[in-house]
Amino acid sequence: MNIVIRKDQWINLAIIASALWFIWFASTHFDEYTVRILNNIAIFTILAVSYNLINGVTGQFSLEPNGFVAIGAYVTALLLLDADAKDYQFDIESPYPWVLGLQANFVWALFFAGTFSSLLALTLSFPVFRVRGDYLAIVTLGFGFIIRILAINNPEITNGSLGLNDIPEFSNLYWTGGIAILAVWGILNIVNSKYGRAMKAVRDDEDAAIAMGVNTFKIKTFAFCTSAFLEGVGGGLLAALLTSISPDLFTFFFTFQLLIIIVLGGLGSTTGAVIGTVLVIGGAEWMRFLDEPMNFGLFVTPAMPGMRMVVFSLILIFVMLFAREGIMGKRELKDLFKKGKK
Amino acid sequence: MILELKGVTKKFGGVTAINNTTFTVNSKEIYGLIGPNGAGKTTMFNIITGNYQATDGEVVFRSEKLNGLKPHTIVRKGIARTFQNIRLFKTMSVMDNVLIGFDFQANYTYFESIFRFPRFFGEEKRIRKRAIEILDYFGIAEFAEHKATDLSYGQQRKVEIARALATNPAMLLLDEPAAGMNPAETKELAHLIRTAREDFDLTVLLIEHDMKFVNQLCDKVLVLDYGKTIFEGKPSDAIKDKEVVAAYLGDFAHD
């Protein structure tokens, strides 16, 4: 038993070490465009594994990511921009004095972004998790809309629909990749603990979980707040990567994309969420050639913008037809190496 | 005396599911709750476990009132249950199913599990060892890593009881444990319940239709009919009781 755990730990360390090496190799050797995509993949990995915690592992259908990512992005942007830069770019209304005073370094900005998101998640969970059913999906869907509308209609804080620009570009592959590794590690640690077991139990049979003494309200709240925290951090990284954010960035499509990722990878599997991110975010870039004119030898097709989304949807339909549980199902990486056991 | 129900009544709208029922279960007793379909047996279970609130009356467990407590709190006070239709966690292994029972007994915080503090490893090791002991007791340790729903029906029933025992209860509520079992399995189950009572220091309250099973196993039975108590006493006397026979087979006296 002990030896198995040790072996597992060695494998984990090897994976982390090779990921770190890859981050170093990519940021020193790859061109800017590739690094950009890798940055996106890293950020979406953070978002996907955390979204999967509430949606896949705990089985509470939720549509929250765009709301919390928006909050994280705005909090980080406001903390990173200095007073002069804010004063300069707030065109619609002049900012509140306290908005000008907000200032923190990158680490604290990300931390506040996450904390603020999870505090909001905590307040949402009190009304939502007292009842069962799909209320969470409805409430979080509405929450996303509300956040967007608040961002548009409070130009004194958010600069309205113009958004925030010239955010210092702190995000690089070391930050995004490093935090992604930490996020995956942390989420896997949760999943492989009594809390993760309780989350799965809530997903499988909530009544039976209660009959085992599990405080299901607490477990659901933990999962939701953890998701929100990492989504806030991911939003912060995104803001510091894109250098400009606006309310239009955080529409429902953002959540939808993450939903595709975790369903494709396999709801409930953290490994699947990572694979799904690489396929969807990386694949969407790779499939860009589909939008362009194509020469098939016999005939030439004109440029068709959006063609890759059509192909993408087709792939998704095929995955759902032939692998309904997604690529990984509910399995993790380690389950693939177990022999003769399911 | 470990469990005492005093004048418990449960009404659903205009329907009285349980009407002013009073009974006591003594420590280490195997107590049967029988009666025809719709007699209110499962409702009684749900009131004891806190899933329903009694309209009237009191439930007292180890001289503590249970009314108004949350179901998961009642489990932590020492009342575990199984379900009529087996309800295992279907995506999880047998081991993980049993480990859920230790959920509130493993002492580490959420934070400690995220950052893998030493206490996490110590506590996990401790509860895993105890889970293996329980699985061993039921003779299903070899299936620990199998998916729970891949096991046979009889074994799944054992996993469910093992999982309930993992919560370290003083009292075990079994809802039709022998349902769907063949006579050999039923006999084995009766033996298992009887030995588990000694080895785990248990009081057992069970619902059952199989009268042979009840006769073999129970020290005392309570017969319910449409929410009313019609008999309390030894199971062998119950089958001779006129009212009980009438409830089960129909009332011949007035024909």
Side-chain angles (χ1 to χ4, degrees), chain A residues 85-309:
Chain A
K86 278 179 220 165
D87 210 21
Y88 175 74
Q89 62 177 281
F90 273 60
D91 288 336
I92 303 172
E93 296 276 346
S94 46
Y96 292 130
W98 62 266
V99 172
L100 287 176
L102 291 173
Q103 195 73 59
N105 67 26
F106 193 40
V107 176
W108 280 111
L110 291 179
F111 179 76
F112 283 132
T115 309
F116 194 59
S117 288
S118 58
L119 282 178
L120 272 174
L122 185 66
T123 34
L124 276 185
S125 42
F126 278 98
V128 168
F129 290 138
R130 296 238 165 253
V131 285
R132 278 193 216 175
D134 292 330
Y135 299 98
L136 182 63
I138 298 159
V139 168
T140 49
L141 182 68
F143 176 72
F145 286 124
I146 291 169
I147 292 299
R148 227 184 114 230
I149 288 163
L150 283 179
I152 293 172
N153 291 316
N154 286 289
E156 299 91 343
I157 304 170
T158 62
N159 201 18
S161 50
L162 293 177
L164 297 168
N165 304 300
D166 297 325
I167 303 160
E169 193 179 350
F170 279 119
S171 287
N172 55 33
L173 207 49
Y174 293 110
W175 278 110
T176 57
I179 293 178
I181 291 172
L182 272 178
V184 173
W185 178 72
I187 296 275
L188 281 176
N189 281 351
I190 294 170
V191 171
N192 295 316
S193 73
K194 70 165 188 172
Y195 295 97
R197 282 195 297 269
M199 287 170 190
K200 288 185 211 162
V202 169
R203 171 187 69 194
D204 283 359
D205 190 330
E206 194 166 341
D207 286 315
I210 293 169
M212 294 291 105
V214 174
N215 185 345
T216 52
F217 173 75
K218 193 172 121 188
I219 286 297
K220 287 189 249 181
T221 306
F222 275 166
F224 192 49
C225 291
T226 311
S227 281
F229 183 87
L230 287 173
E231 276 152 10
V233 172
L237 286 170
L238 200 63
L241 179 74
L242 300 174
T243 68
S244 71
I245 53 169
S246 70
D248 284 339
L249 199 63
F250 309 107
T251 57
F252 181 65
F253 181 74
F254 195 94
T255 298
F256 186 62
Q257 206 174 7
L258 279 167
L259 196 59
I260 289 175
I261 289 174
I262 60 172
V263 170
L264 185 75
L267 265 183
S269 163
T270 305
T271 317
V274 177
I275 292 172
T277 311
V278 175
L279 287 181
V280 172
I281 303 298
E285 286 300 325
W286 178 74
M287 286 198 294
R288 256 182 212 290
F289 74 89
L290 290 169
D291 288 359
E292 274 141 38
M294 274 182 285
N295 187 349
F296 287 97
L298 296 172
F299 57 93
V300 177
T301 55
M304 286 178 286
M307 189 61 195
R308 66 188 169 124
M309 282 321 286

Side-chain angles (χ1 to χ4, degrees), chain B residues 146-202:
Chain B
H146 285 242
K147 222 164 127 183
T149 42
D150 288 348
L151 268 56
S152 75
Y153 190 82
Q155 284 164 340
Q156 286 191 34
R157 184 60 87 188
K158 281 185 189 170
V159 176
E160 209 190 16
I161 297 174
R163 190 177 71 171
L165 285 180
T167 64
N168 196 19
M171 185 163 192
L172 187 60
L173 309 189
L174 303 170
D175 199 344
E176 296 198 29
M181 285 188 165
N182 64 35
E185 284 174 325
T186 309
K187 211 173 155 191
E188 195 197 337
L189 184 73
H191 176 72
L192 194 70
I193 294 172
R194 216 176 291 122
T195 49
R197 159 171 69 166
E198 301 306 322
D199 298 335
F200 291 88
D201 235 348
L202 281 176

Side-chain angles (χ1 to χ4, degrees), chain B residues 16-221:
Chain B
T16 308
I18 294 173
N19 190 7
N20 197 18
T21 300
T22 300
F23 68 92
T24 56
V25 181
N26 291 317
S27 205
K28 293 199 75 180
E29 207 167 35
I30 297 182
Y31 197 99
L33 213 55
I34 58 176
N37 288 330
K41 305 182 295 288
T42 302
T43 308
M44 191 76 87
F45 262 33
N46 283 328
I47 287 172
I48 297 170
T49 56
N51 289 352
Y52 294 159
Q53 289 303 324
T55 317
D56 202 15
E58 262 184 25
V59 182
V60 179
F61 177 67
R62 287 160 151 182
S63 52
E64 190 178 355
K65 207 175 143 191
L66 295 186
N67 298 49
L69 291 182
K70 290 256 165 58
H72 70 257
T73 318
I74 292 177
V75 177
R76 291 168 188 205
K77 292 204 180 297
I79 299 182
R81 73 171 294 180
T82 65
F83 293 92
Q84 192 169 341
N85 41 341
I86 298 176
R87 291 171 81 167
L88 295 175
F89 304 116
K90 51 188 179 297
T91 64
M92 296 160 74
S93 67
V94 171
M95 184 68 177
D96 282 354
N97 264 279
V98 176
L99 284 174
I100 289 286
F102 287 105
D103 186 75
F104 63 90
Q105 298 165 73
N107 286 314
Y108 56 83
T109 61
Y110 195 55
F111 194 75
E112 281 172 316
S113 76
I114 297 176
F115 295 101
R116 285 292 188 260
F117 278 42
R119 198 149 76 124
F120 167 83
F121 293 106
E123 286 291 293
E124 278 289 302
K125 206 173 161 185
R126 182 177 70 85
I127 61 169
R128 270 175 198 277
K129 200 172 146 232
R130 284 184 54 199
I132 284 284
E133 279 168 13
I134 291 180
L135 286 175
D136 240 346
Y137 183 85
F138 285 88
I140 45 177
E142 55 178 312
F143 305 117
E145 294 306 320
H146 285 242
K147 222 164 127 183
T149 42
D150 288 348
L151 268 56
S152 75
Y153 190 82
Q155 284 164 340
Q156 286 191 34
R157 184 60 87 188
K158 281 185 189 170
V159 176
E160 209 190 16
I161 297 174
R163 190 177 71 171
L165 285 180
T167 64
N168 196 19
M171 185 163 192
L172 187 60
L173 309 189
L174 303 170
D175 199 344
E176 296 198 29
M181 285 188 165
N182 64 35
E185 284 174 325
T186 309
K187 211 173 155 191
E188 195 197 337
L189 184 73
H191 176 72
L192 194 70
I193 294 172
R194 216 176 291 122
T195 49
R197 159 171 69 166
E198 301 306 322
D199 298 335
F200 291 88
D201 235 348
L202 281 176
T203 309
V204 180
L205 178 64
L206 59 88
I207 294 176
E208 192 48 72
H209 279 301
D210 187 338
M211 278 313 286
K212 210 175 144 201
F213 182 78
V214 172
N215 247 328
Q216 271 177 10
L217 196 60
C218 294
D219 305 316
K220 218 173 174 189
V221 292

